[in-house]
Amino acid sequence: MGTDYNEYRREMVTLHLPFRHEESEILAESRYLQLYEENEALILDRRKEFESNLDIEKTLEICRELCREYVSDDGEEINDVVSRIPNENPFAELYHNPNADLNDDLRLALFDKLGSIAKKKDNILPYPEFYGLMRKANEEQREILFHTIHHSISNNEPMQKPLLIYLTGPAGSGKTFVIKALMEIYNRFSDTDGIFNAYIACASTGKAATAIGGTTVHNALSISLSRLLPLNIEKAHQYRALFELIKVIIIDEVSMVSSELLEQINERLKHITGLFTKAFGGLDEILFGD
């Protein structure tokens, strides 16, 4: 509970008190604890100011109306949803057997828990469009893309080493184009179950992550802003099951990722996959930066 309360105080300080550098002014030496104690009254007043206009009853009524709009009289939609609800604790089998196969209930539960991280696989481009995408690449870009295709096709060969690539270039050099092309390649040539993308796309900032349809590094791998905390047993099994389907981690704006955070990513992936002797847990790692 103490950790949760400290996290609450950190959030309140960052939301309601002005600062320039979060790392040095708030996170360093847990300064947010002292800042919260010194400004508790001000923080509470600002919370009231921002939250006082929220009409809970009206919001709930709007939600009820929206629910009624999408439920037909014969209840078919309700029955369909109920039929898709997994059995209680679908991860229980993984607690006893970490190598258990992913059944339908587990896939559905994974999508519910971690779908915002891996994302549902989009339709793969028809071959004519895929060929057109490849033709748009310049010579240097095409070299990387062809190398990745060859690697993906040969992924099951013995002694196959994971890709560790760092691509750099100024703004407008086509990094986002290459990221999108790599996403298509991994989904097209990776042997996965077809529900999740074969990649996790993330970035150092929310703005950069949005541009590539991904999430932040911290959210993707459950990394705290202050330090790397161990995953609880349920979360660890969820990630382990998900990463049976993931082939590559794509990180944009890596130039804004500190060496400490990069090492935390490395350690987190090792713990998720259980491959402690391999960099980034044996996954392909493709980094983009300026």
Side-chain angles (χ1 to χ4, degrees):
M1 290 297 293
T3 302
D4 292 340
Y5 186 50
N6 287 344
E7 186 67 14
Y8 161 78
R9 286 187 282 190
R10 183 194 64 78
E11 290 181 359
M12 291 299 100
V13 168
T14 55
L15 284 172
H16 298 292
L17 296 182
F19 63 90
R20 290 187 177 181
H21 304 289
E22 182 177 3
E23 187 68 37
S24 60
E25 297 178 25
I26 295 178
L27 299 180
E29 300 178 356
S30 299
R31 292 178 181 173
Y32 58 86
L33 299 177
Q34 181 180 353
L35 289 171
Y36 182 87
E37 296 299 330
E38 294 174 351
N39 299 276
E40 184 175 9
L42 174 62
I43 290 173
L44 293 177
D45 287 341
R46 290 188 174 178
R47 283 198 66 186
K48 292 177 183 177
E49 177 184 349
F50 286 109
E51 298 175 12
S52 60
N53 294 327
L54 183 62
D55 189 334
I56 297 297
E57 291 301 324
K58 184 176 180 180
T59 303
L60 289 174
E61 182 58 32
I62 292 173
C63 291
R64 294 189 190 102
E65 289 296 329
L66 288 173
C67 290
R68 282 195 285 268
E69 286 180 13
Y70 290 99
V71 176
S72 63
D73 294 336
D74 57 11
E76 289 182 0
E77 285 81 358
I78 294 178
N79 292 331
D80 178 61
V81 171
V82 171
S83 67
R84 294 169 56 201
I85 295 177
N87 295 330
E88 184 177 357
N89 196 359
F91 299 100
E93 185 178 358
L94 284 176
Y95 297 156
H96 308 292
N97 179 15
N99 297 318
D101 292 333
L102 298 183
N103 55 36
D104 291 340
D105 283 347
L106 188 52
R107 284 185 173 89
L108 182 60
L110 276 175
F111 189 72
D112 178 56
K113 297 289 186 180
L114 301 177
S116 63
I117 297 172
K119 306 289 179 69
K120 189 174 182 179
K121 180 183 285 189
D122 296 327
N123 292 330
I124 295 176
L125 291 175
Y127 270 108
E129 294 184 27
F130 176 66
Y131 295 150
L133 180 70
M134 296 298 291
R135 292 190 191 99
K136 292 179 181 178
N138 60 36
E139 185 176 349
E140 292 178 340
Q141 293 169 342
R142 197 175 295 124
E143 181 180 355
I144 291 293
L145 298 179
F146 283 156
H147 180 68
T148 306
I149 291 174
H150 175 74
H151 172 82
S152 298
I153 294 174
S154 309
N155 200 34
N156 293 324
E157 292 184 2
M159 307 302 292
Q160 175 81 2
K161 294 183 179 180
L163 282 181
L164 296 175
I165 298 176
Y166 174 51
L167 294 176
T168 183
S173 60
K175 294 191 297 294
T176 301
F177 167 79
V178 175
I179 290 175
K180 299 289 186 181
L182 287 171
M183 292 175 178
E184 172 68 21
I185 287 171
Y186 272 95
N187 274 349
R188 178 178 292 275
F189 295 103
S190 297
D191 182 19
T192 61
D193 69 345
I195 295 179
F196 291 99
N197 287 321
Y199 59 84
I200 289 180
C202 50
S204 55
T205 65
K207 183 177 180 180
T210 301
I212 61 173
T215 185
T216 63
V217 171
H218 292 88
N219 181 58
L221 298 176
S222 289
I223 297 176
S224 168
L225 289 175
S226 54
R227 63 187 185 279
L228 185 66
L229 300 173
L231 299 172
N232 62 48
I233 185 170
E234 182 175 3
K235 195 82 167 180
H237 282 307
Q238 291 169 10
Y239 268 96
R240 191 157 296 169
L242 173 66
F243 272 74
E244 290 184 18
L245 314 172
I246 301 300
K247 304 299 181 183
V248 62
I249 306 293
I250 299 172
I251 303 179
D252 194 15
E253 297 293 351
V254 74
S255 50
M256 298 178 65
V257 173
S258 66
S259 59
E260 180 183 3
L261 178 55
L262 197 61
E263 177 57 26
Q264 290 175 343
I265 295 169
N266 180 37
E267 289 300 314
R268 175 68 85 216
L269 292 175
K270 286 181 178 180
H271 281 86
I272 289 173
T273 63
L275 301 176
F276 295 96
T277 60
K278 295 187 177 181
F280 300 104
L283 292 166
D284 293 349
E285 193 85 6
I286 304 180
L287 312 177
F288 292 80
D290 296 330

